[in-house]
Structure formats: C-alpha cells, structure tokens
Amino acid sequence: MRVLVTGGAGYIGSHVVRALLEAGHVPIVYDNLSTGHAEAVKECELVEGDVRDRERLSATLRQYRFDGAVHLAALSLVGVSMREPSQYFDNNVAGGLVLSDALIAADVPWLVLSSTAAVYGDPEVTPIPEKHRMLPTNPYGESKLALERVLGWYEKAYGFRSIALRYFNAAGAHPKGDIGEDHNPETHLIPIVLQAALRKREFIEVYGTDYPTPDGTAIRDYVHVVDLAAAHLAAVKRLAGGASGGAYNLGSQQGYSVLEVIETARRVTGRPVEVRYGARRPGDPPVLVAAATRAQAELGWKPERTLDGIVESAWRWHVAHPAEEREQV
C-alpha cells in the first residue's frame, strides 16, 4: 500500500517509515522538518510541508493515490504546552482537522493517529485502561484528546475510519544503529541521562522527589520505539482490512521511576551519572503505566524489549552518533 506519513522524519515517524518499508509498503513522508531530519528517511520520498498548509497538502494528495495515512506530525512537549497552549491547539488540533478534511476530500479512507497517555491526566487506577476517564492536566494531552474526539465524529458522519495509538514513553533506537532519538533541545529522560553518562551535560536534574511513589520520583511506562513502530504496522493492517476505529494503549504495563531509569543507565553504560534534585514540573502526573491488553487482543501486539534493551540500544546509537557530529548534519 502507499501510505502518507505526516511527521515521518521525526523520531517515532522514521521508525514507523522503516517498519512500513520492511513490510513491503510504500510510505511517502510529509514533514515540515521543524524537528524531523531528512537523512532519517532517505530510503523513501520526502515532501516538505506543514499539515496546516491546505494547498501543499492537497497537491500532495492529488499527486499520489494513497491507500491510507499515519499522522505523527505534532508538537509534544508538555512544559511548552503549559506556557504556549495556542501553539499546541493550532498545530495539533487545527492541523489535524486540515489533514482529516483533505484526506476525506481525496477519498483516503483511514488514518492511524499518534496520540498519547496524556489524554488520561492523573490516573484513578493503574495500570490505565482505555476506558479510563479522560481529564488531561496539560494542553498537549487536551489537544490530542480533542483530535481523537473529532475523528470519532468523523467516522460516524463520513465513514472515515481511524485508530488512535496512545503512546506511553517512547525510547530506544533502531537495531541497525542508523536512526535514533535526536531532539534539540532534548527533553526526554533516557537520552538526557545518556548525555550525562557521555559527559555532554554535567548532571541530570530530577523534577520532583515528593511524589506518592516508592522512591518519591515519577513513574513512567517505557516502550521501545521499534515496538511502537510495529504497533503502527498492526493498526495499518487492521484498518486496511476494513475494521472500524478505536483507541489502543501502547506500553509495557511495567512502570519505572526516574531514579530506576538512571540506575539502569549507570549499569548499562558502566558510567557515573550525577543527579541533582528540583521541584515538580506543572502538569506531570505521578504515575503513568499502561494497561495494553486491548492492543494485544485486537492488534496482536505486545512489546518485546525490556528497559535494559531500550537503554542499551539508545546507548549504542548515542555513542555512534555524537551530538557534535549530528549538529553539523
């Protein structure tokens, strides 16, 4: 199938593109390259454009005959969303509407949406099931939830089918070693810890030590980016087979605290990592762990890689791709 992949040059997107290629599909990447990297998707065609650009997007859809789409183009920093909610609703909600309307006009029948565990807010139960009440604590989660709800109504009104994949914490790098997590600035825990192990930063700051958790630091569910990509492939297969939409949690169903992740990195790398402690960040729930049984039952998906495997793959990539070299690309 020919599949439009918005945001396909980004971290998760490039791994999804790789999974589609390996499965024999033809992904066409549509990305404004604001955070993505063209070299990460050099194996397929790249169209540079923003999902809010109706003319550019419509021209791309006219140029190709797409069987479906995977939508990963979004802003995703919780802290920034708290300070600049307008950017997040414009990019994530308005951009999603422009894309969905354009796909419907071009007779593209389905969409896989990159969503997030942030739609749940502070969980009432852990692990979190898909039926859990949704009350986001930050504009990022609110923007993703808004688009999920829009797509639910679009299926009822237009027959436009979609699957929302609610990520927990994506991490790791491709086993081939050529694509990995490359953000500037970096905000995700595992690469920041590895930067400290590489002495690219003096220390790792832990935000909050008074959470109601065993060691006082926030707990998150980490899933390898290659496992996430496999879930997208499963969602593409399900929608292409004519199934209706729905939402699926993507996580390992195992939570690790910030301090446990840091200790794992110390063990895997054999390097010291200095820690300093700070206040909680606004909008960060204490615990986010997935109940992912629905994805296993309906998509046939479950993660294969452990936290050690996630950190090991990320470490290999960071050692092989020093930050100073990446900045020159």
Side-chain angles (χ1 to χ4, degrees):
M1 294 181 291
R2 182 175 285 118
V3 182
L4 177 70
V5 185
T6 69
Y11 169 49
I12 297 174
S14 60
H15 287 81
V16 171
V17 166
R18 178 70 56 83
L20 288 166
L21 285 167
E22 290 174 348
H25 301 303
V26 181
I28 306 295
V29 173
Y30 186 92
D31 199 302
N32 66 8
L33 300 181
S34 59
T35 57
H37 305 274
E39 63 272 16
V41 288
K42 57 189 177 183
E43 297 170 300
C44 65
E45 187 163 352
L46 167 65
V47 178
E48 189 171 350
D50 193 290
V51 290
R52 294 165 294 183
D53 186 339
R54 294 176 187 271
E55 292 185 5
R56 179 69 163 156
L57 187 57
S58 295
T60 302
L61 291 169
R62 286 193 301 270
Q63 183 178 354
Y64 304 95
R65 185 170 182 82
F66 290 103
D67 296 284
V70 179
H71 180 37
L72 300 110
L75 299 177
S76 61
L77 302 180
V78 168
V80 177
S81 82
M82 296 292 284
R83 299 190 301 271
E84 299 289 344
S86 176
Q87 292 182 13
Y88 276 68
F89 291 117
D90 179 44
N91 194 95
N92 296 357
V93 183
L97 285 169
V98 171
L99 173 65
S100 300
D101 290 344
L103 291 171
I104 291 168
D107 294 322
V108 180
W110 51 260
L111 171 73
V112 176
L113 171 66
S114 163
S115 191
T116 173
V119 300
Y120 297 115
D122 290 321
E124 295 176 337
V125 296
T126 300
I128 307 168
E130 287 88 353
K131 64 181 180 181
H132 190 283
R133 67 100 178 91
M134 291 179 285
L135 193 62
T137 58
N138 54 70
Y140 167 59
E142 194 74 61
S143 70
K144 288 291 191 175
L145 178 57
L147 186 54
E148 280 195 32
R149 287 176 167 163
V150 165
L151 291 173
W153 288 110
Y154 272 32
E155 181 163 1
K156 288 178 170 45
Y158 310 124
F160 181 65
R161 294 172 294 113
S162 63
I163 283 177
L165 299 178
R166 295 173 181 163
Y167 307 164
F168 282 64
N169 282 45
H174 199 278
K176 288 185 177 179
D178 57 337
I179 51 175
E181 193 164 6
D182 187 8
H183 301 120
N184 186 20
E186 186 56 73
T187 62
H188 294 172
L189 177 61
I190 288 176
I192 286 175
V193 174
L194 296 180
Q195 287 173 1
L198 286 165
R199 306 305 297 168
K200 301 302 181 183
R201 61 174 69 216
E202 293 182 12
F203 59 89
I204 169 73
E205 185 167 7
V206 175
Y207 297 104
T209 58
D210 59 347
Y211 285 105
T213 61
D215 64 19
T217 63
I219 291 175
R220 295 292 182 265
D221 185 338
Y222 295 89
V223 60
H224 198 289
V225 66
V226 171
D227 288 329
L228 277 185
H232 287 75
L233 198 60
V236 164
K237 181 179 179 181
R238 182 172 175 82
L239 288 170
S244 59
Y248 298 87
N249 288 339
L250 300 183
S252 68
Q253 306 189 100
Q254 173 70 51
Y256 297 93
S257 74
V258 174
L259 292 182
E260 286 176 317
V261 172
I262 293 170
E263 188 53 43
T264 299
R266 287 170 174 154
R267 185 179 67 254
V268 167
T269 65
R271 304 264 185 107
V273 176
E274 184 177 342
V275 174
R276 296 184 188 175
Y277 298 96
R280 295 188 191 187
R281 294 181 301 189
D284 274 351
V287 180
L288 287 175
V289 177
T293 53
R294 186 180 183 198
Q296 184 172 348
E298 298 182 16
L299 298 180
W301 175 87
K302 67 176 182 178
E304 297 179 359
R305 295 157 182 85
T306 64
L307 180 63
D308 276 32
I310 289 171
V311 173
E312 285 170 357
S313 68
W315 176 244
R316 288 195 303 271
W317 188 84
H318 278 274
V319 169
H321 299 83
E324 55 271 19
E325 290 184 7
R326 301 202 302 274
E327 289 169 0
Q328 295 170 8
V329 174

